[in-house]
Amino acid sequence: MTQLTKENFDTFIKETKKPVIIDFWAEWCGPCKMMTPVLDEIAKEHDDIEIAKVNVDTEAELAIKFGIMSIPAFILFKDGEESARTVGYMPKAELLSELGL
């Protein structure tokens, strides 16, 4: 999984041809930690989806830019544009469904 920062975010989103799920998380967040194996499964099972992470503690500018108020938060980007978002812990099938994948 790619770690995104304010320095590489825009380039990564624009250059990635696949849909990208961005996971906004923090080290201290229990539900965020619970989502890690879910995201790992998605990454292994779906070659057609990229997974990237933004640590809201170290990348507060990105969290503010995208209006992240609760974590974990997930934003789906397709063709460089936001197409869906959801918040909170959920099983893999529900996350994919909520994001329209």
Side-chain angles (χ1 to χ4, degrees):
M1 281 183 234
T2 304
Q3 299 295 322
L4 296 179
T5 65
K6 66 181 180 183
E7 288 80 18
N8 69 356
F9 188 93
D10 289 335
T11 302
F12 180 82
I13 293 300
K14 289 176 186 169
E15 291 180 357
T16 303
K17 303 300 179 208
K18 304 177 199 177
V20 181
I21 299 172
I22 308 292
D23 172 20
F24 288 84
W25 69 284
E27 188 65 42
W28 49 264
C29 168
C32 298
K33 290 178 182 180
M34 292 169 55
M35 285 303 296
T36 299
V38 173
L39 295 169
D40 287 343
E41 273 187 48
I42 292 170
K44 287 177 188 168
E45 295 173 3
H46 295 273
D47 290 344
D48 57 332
I49 300 171
E50 280 291 328
I51 309 281
K53 296 175 87 60
V54 173
N55 183 326
V56 298
D57 287 337
T58 59
E59 297 300 325
E61 251 182 73
L62 286 174
I64 292 166
K65 177 180 177 179
F66 289 100
I68 304 301
M69 303 298 275
S70 298
I71 56 173
F74 306 95
I75 300 179
L76 177 69
F77 283 84
K78 288 183 177 177
D79 300 318
E81 300 291 325
E82 180 179 336
S83 66
R85 68 168 59 201
T86 191
V87 176
Y89 172 82
M90 60 192 74
K92 177 180 63 176
E94 186 179 346
L95 176 62
L96 293 172
S97 175
E98 288 284 325
L99 294 175
L101 295 170

